[in-house]
Amino acid sequence: MADPPPPPLIKKPSALKALLSATLYQTRTGFKNNLETAMTITTIQSMSRDPDRISISTRQALSRRYRAPKGPTWAAASILPVPTSEGSNVLETLMEVIKEMGDGTEKIDTPEYAPVETEWVGYRKGVGRGEPQPDLSEEERYKALCADTESDVTILYAHGGGFFQGSLSESRPACARLARSCGGKCLSVGYRLSPQYPFPSALLDILLAYISLLHPTSSSLHQPIPVSKIILCGDSSGGGLCLSLLQVLLHLHRRQRSPSTLPMVRIDGKDLPISLPAGLSAFSPYGDLTHSLPSWTDNYVYDYFPPIDPTLAVQPPYPSCPLWPSPPPRANFYCHGSALCHPLVSPVMAGDWTGAGPIWMAYGQEQLLDEGRVIFKLASDSSVPVVWEYYEALPHAFPTLPILRELPQSDRAYHSRGEFCKACVQQPGNITRQGKMISVSGEELSLDVQQIPAKMSVEDAQRKIKAGRAKVEELFRRRLKLDRKRAKL
């Protein structure tokens, strides 16, 4: 599909309006953040919650603009080829897992194989911020990248963007910072975006990228990477994708009759064993696409998502454009309304995390907070060591946002994440369940892990999500009925 036309510039609020909004924000939040941080948050809020916000097509085009690598960053591009349909069963296997993990009521579109754009990213030593990459081949850049690594950690990275925006170029700074914090390298995945490629297209792409780390294709730059060196990492919706990928891999292992037998997939006529990754880390991962848990309203003032209204899933507050509403219409950008409670769409609905490696999650005082709390409870009850970090008065995925990524809390979050990734590879047995709160002053407080889960039970949270799905589906049916009546006039 061709890219949309060049987008117009996004209008930011005037300086006076930004100052007034920031001052009001400080008043409402008890002056927890300084004025600069408050202005950054309220500017993002105004751009996200503006009723005249830009269209999905424009947002997607803005996020996909190419930015040349520069400064202390190595980047080497690689494309995973399309598997041969006759000699490959990854798609069929994924669709089987989706069916087995669902309740039978979900409508799921079967995607097609497609080339997967990827990019190896690493920290480049000894160069200034604006220095361009040397004129080297992609293979030579990858070798230079590996020469600058200090550990065996290999990150499989999925960018954020609500599943409908984001790109390799846009996420490159976050990957480089993550690579520096753990001393390793990142394979960033340019998965297909919704709404034009709905669930499970992105999940298929990231699954193929994971398999390619273990079993490189002829076009890969790397050699086979031991599974004990691989960490799944993602931010926001990308964090949700990583949780979904982990659930796919866990389910494949649960299907085996013997725990010692690895599940197999076939690509281009070759049967390939699939092992579990060493761990997972995520900033603010998505867990509930119905947005039904209390923190979506309780933490509204600290975050920047639009107001919670089930009709937003039916008719999101964006102008009509070539990408949305989708043809044929559906209730959600990412999936059909009936699939909103599927465990691979909303990981809060996944009950069993047994067998997973250690998990690290960090959230701000944000609208997605309760989703993370429920996942913490589910994984902990499955005997998975989960490291939890909560950052007071900061919004969703704050370490990846302009200006906010320069905060001391962001530096601390990346350092902690990097140390976790190294521990997963070097000393996984030393990782234990723990929780910390980082106050706005930077003070670290240990949390009682029994108090981290949401005040509601897992069962109550899942009931709320199912009720949210039912409401979305009912409103969508009413909308379609109304549209058909209008079409007859």
Side-chain angles (χ1 to χ4, degrees):
M1 181 176 294
D3 288 348
L9 293 176
I10 299 177
K11 293 184 178 180
K12 296 182 180 180
S14 66
L16 178 59
K17 183 178 179 180
L19 179 61
L20 292 174
S21 297
T23 303
L24 180 60
Y25 171 87
Q26 287 184 304
T27 302
R28 289 175 174 173
T29 58
F31 289 86
K32 291 182 178 179
N33 287 310
N34 62 32
L35 184 59
E36 182 183 29
T37 301
M39 288 184 70
T40 301
I41 295 172
T42 54
T43 296
I44 297 172
Q45 286 177 341
S46 67
M47 294 166 66
S48 175
R49 296 170 177 172
D50 182 356
D52 297 322
R53 59 179 57 85
I54 60 175
S55 70
I56 295 301
S57 297
T58 299
R59 284 177 173 270
Q60 197 172 104
L62 280 168
S63 70
R64 291 170 61 180
R65 289 183 299 177
Y66 178 73
R67 302 162 178 82
K70 60 182 180 180
T73 301
W74 284 114
S78 177
I79 296 180
L80 299 181
V82 178
T84 58
S85 298
E86 298 78 13
S88 306
N89 72 348
V90 177
L91 174 57
E92 290 79 0
T93 300
L94 176 60
M95 297 307 293
E96 289 172 3
V97 170
I98 291 171
K99 182 178 180 180
E100 291 166 6
M101 294 186 69
D103 60 16
T105 65
E106 304 94 345
K107 179 180 179 181
I108 308 292
D109 295 321
T110 301
E112 296 180 350
Y113 288 120
V116 181
E117 295 183 359
T118 66
E119 184 177 78
W120 283 102
V121 180
Y123 177 65
R124 184 182 172 200
K125 297 179 179 178
V127 299
R129 193 173 266 194
E131 186 170 334
Q133 278 202 130
D135 186 15
L136 302 172
S137 68
E138 302 299 339
E139 184 176 3
E140 289 170 329
R141 289 177 180 176
Y142 176 73
K143 290 179 179 178
L145 181 158
C146 292
D148 273 351
T149 60
E150 298 175 347
S151 76
D152 294 334
V153 176
T154 298
I155 302 295
L156 181 69
Y157 181 81
H159 64 74
F163 299 111
F164 65 86
Q165 58 189 345
S167 67
L168 298 175
S169 291
E170 188 175 65
S171 61
R172 191 181 296 126
C175 284
R177 192 172 183 181
L178 179 55
R180 183 179 186 182
S181 69
C182 69
K185 56 185 180 291
C186 296
L187 181 66
S188 182
V189 184
Y191 56 83
R192 283 172 285 180
L193 302 176
S194 60
Q196 61 269 52
Y197 299 107
F199 173 83
S201 297
L203 186 56
L204 174 62
D205 291 348
I206 197 170
L207 174 58
L208 288 169
Y210 178 76
I211 295 171
S212 78
L213 288 177
L214 305 175
H215 309 285
T217 69
S218 58
S219 64
S220 297
L221 300 174
H222 62 283
Q223 296 298 310
I225 295 174
V227 72
S228 61
K229 312 296 184 185
I230 299 174
I231 313 294
L232 307 182
C233 292
D235 302 326
S236 187
S237 56
L241 261 183
C242 288
L243 291 170
S244 297
L245 173 61
L246 180 57
Q247 274 294 321
V248 170
L249 299 173
L250 289 171
H251 188 82
L252 289 175
H253 279 254
R254 287 192 289 264
R255 293 168 73 182
Q256 300 304 112
R257 293 183 179 180
S258 170
S260 61
T261 304
L262 293 177
M264 308 285 285
V265 295
R266 189 172 61 258
I267 296 182
D268 297 337
K270 298 179 181 179
D271 292 324
L272 309 172
I274 305 299
S275 301
L276 294 169
L280 182 151
S281 79
F283 285 143
S284 304
Y286 276 34
D288 163 31
L289 262 65
T290 70
H291 311 324
S292 298
L293 301 185
S295 59
W296 270 90
T297 51
D298 294 347
N299 292 341
Y300 177 81
V301 67
Y302 292 101
D303 216 340
Y304 50 79
F305 288 102
I308 297 309
D309 183 344
T311 60
L312 298 185
V314 180
Q315 189 181 21
Y318 299 104
S320 296
C321 66
L323 298 182
W324 189 259
S326 61
R330 64 175 184 271
N332 185 273
F333 292 141
Y334 186 55
C335 65
H336 292 280
S338 61
L340 283 169
C341 287
H342 193 284
L344 300 182
V345 172
S346 293
V348 166
M349 304 301 291
D352 188 3
W353 296 83
T354 305
I359 295 174
W360 181 97
M361 294 191 296
Y363 284 87
Q365 194 167 348
E366 59 179 274
Q367 290 167 273
L368 277 70
L369 184 61
D370 282 343
E371 302 168 29
R373 286 169 167 163
V374 176
I375 293 172
F376 177 92
K377 169 68 173 172
L378 288 166
S380 295
D381 287 350
S382 299
S383 300
V384 177
V386 185
V387 178
W388 172 270
E389 295 190 357
Y390 166 66
Y391 290 79
E392 182 187 19
L394 288 173
H396 176 72
F398 68 91
T400 68
L401 299 175
I403 300 180
L404 297 184
R405 59 182 170 228
E406 307 299 330
L407 292 174
Q409 294 97 318
S410 295
D411 287 338
R412 189 220 171 276
Y414 267 105
H415 175 75
S416 174
R417 190 182 199 181
E419 291 300 305
F420 170 85
C421 291
K422 285 191 287 187
C424 284
V425 171
Q426 298 168 1
Q427 297 175 313
N430 290 347
I431 300 175
T432 59
R433 184 174 55 155
Q434 57 184 283
K436 290 184 178 180
M437 171 183 168
I438 294 82
S439 70
V440 289
S441 65
E443 182 182 5
E444 293 187 15
L445 303 172
S446 294
L447 297 175
D448 182 350
V449 293
Q450 302 299 326
Q451 302 300 318
I452 293 174
K455 295 178 181 178
M456 73 189 77
S457 67
V458 169
E459 294 74 20
D460 284 343
Q462 293 180 341
R463 276 194 291 269
K464 284 180 178 292
I465 294 171
K466 290 178 180 178
R469 176 189 62 181
K471 198 165 189 177
V472 167
E473 289 189 279
E474 175 60 26
L475 289 167
F476 183 59
R477 284 191 290 268
R478 292 180 189 177
R479 176 72 185 182
L480 289 180
K481 187 176 181 179
L482 179 61
D483 287 345
R484 283 194 291 268
K485 286 183 178 180
R486 288 174 176 171
K488 293 180 180 179
L489 297 178

